């Protein structure tokens, strides 16, 4: 990657293969994202970002594990983190505050998932441990009935981003899932 001119890397452990219950490292691979970050930092040619989880990762031992794990990633060489998506700004702010109390100095960038399909977003949330507020479920049920899902998705995502920006966030990371239209609409609205 360095030879090809890549200078920034998002270093992630990766998910378990489809059908597997847990992540299992390759025999000669890295056992964790911390090991990967250490190797990249030792190389010295990259700016390293990592993943962060404002709600408990499915493999987390306890409620504070994700904050401690992020601190380890930063100590290993990551200079910023991009979070898993969430549906309410307070989720991010609680995580950011917990990280600050733990001494995490790296910039934490909120990961935003514009909702292209409510059914798909709900399934994705269940797989990665993201809580789904009842009010969002109810809003999409009504919007789908009225043919206004796209309008609701744009409004909710724009409001979430605005709340984050008003709360001091400088950068946003959008998970477009190769469908940038809604993200474009949210950016125009902001």
């Amino acid at each position: 990657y360095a030879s090809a001119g890549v200078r920034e890397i998002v270093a992630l452990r990766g998910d378990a293969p489809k059908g597997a219950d847990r992540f299992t490292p390759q025999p000669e691979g890295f056992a964790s994202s911390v090991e990967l970050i250490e190797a990249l930092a030792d190389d010295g040619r990259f700016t390293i970002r990592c993943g962060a989880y404002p709600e408990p990762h499915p493999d987390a031992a306890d409620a504070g594990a994700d904050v401690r794990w992020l601190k380890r990633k930063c100590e290993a060489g990551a200079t910023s983190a991009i979070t898993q998506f969430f549906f309410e700004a307070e989720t991010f702010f609680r995580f950011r505050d917990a990280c600050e109390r733990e001494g995490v100095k790296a910039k934490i960038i909120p990961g935003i998932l514009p909702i292209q399909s409510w059914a798909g977003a709900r399934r994705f949330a269940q797989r990665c441990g993201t809580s789904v507020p009842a009010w969002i479920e109810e809003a999409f049920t009504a919007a789908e009935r009225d043919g206004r899902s796209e309008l609701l998705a744009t409004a909710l995502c724009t409001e979430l981003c605005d709340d984050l920006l008003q709360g001091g966030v400088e950068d946003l990371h959008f998970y477009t899932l190769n469908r940038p239209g809604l993200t474009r609409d949210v950016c125009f609205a902001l």
Side-chain angles (χ1 to χ4, degrees):
Y1 288 111
S3 297
V6 172
R7 296 293 177 256
E8 299 189 19
I9 291 185
V10 179
L12 306 173
R13 179 198 74 182
D15 297 326
K18 237 180 199 169
D21 291 341
R22 301 193 70 97
F23 171 82
T24 304
Q26 294 296 313
E28 294 182 32
F30 298 107
S32 70
S33 56
V34 171
E35 288 184 9
L36 172 59
I37 292 165
E38 287 171 339
L40 291 167
D42 286 346
D43 181 271
R45 294 181 283 176
F46 303 103
T47 298
I48 306 163
R49 290 184 177 79
C50 65
Y53 298 86
E55 296 184 277
H57 184 280
D59 294 342
D62 58 61
D66 294 304
V67 173
R68 293 188 305 273
W69 198 248
L70 177 57
K71 186 174 183 178
R72 288 184 62 203
K73 292 176 191 180
C74 294
E75 290 169 349
T79 58
S80 64
I82 300 170
T83 73
Q84 179 62 268
F85 74 95
F86 48 88
F87 292 110
E88 296 177 303
E90 277 306 310
T91 302
F92 176 80
F93 293 138
R94 278 191 300 273
F95 180 70
R96 182 187 65 184
D97 294 347
C99 289
E100 191 173 294
R101 285 190 301 275
E102 188 70 24
V104 175
K105 303 279 191 252
K107 178 184 271 192
I108 303 172
I109 302 165
I112 309 299
L113 178 69
I115 299 171
Q116 306 285 344
S117 154
W118 176 240
R122 189 182 331 103
R123 278 192 308 275
F124 193 18
Q126 289 170 341
R127 280 197 319 269
C128 63
T130 299
S131 61
V132 178
W135 68 267
I136 290 181
E137 182 77 46
E138 293 165 8
F140 271 100
T141 298
E144 287 170 354
R145 181 186 61 235
D146 299 338
R148 295 177 180 255
S149 295
E150 189 174 323
L151 180 62
L152 176 64
T154 303
L156 289 178
C157 190
T158 302
E159 182 179 6
L160 173 61
C161 292
D162 186 59
D163 289 347
L164 292 165
L165 294 169
Q166 294 300 317
V169 168
E170 295 176 358
D171 300 306
L172 303 169
H173 175 86
F174 290 94
Y175 294 107
T176 64
L177 306 178
N178 295 321
R179 296 172 66 193
L182 183 54
T183 299
R184 179 204 57 226
D185 293 346
V186 168
C187 290
F188 282 143
L190 289 170

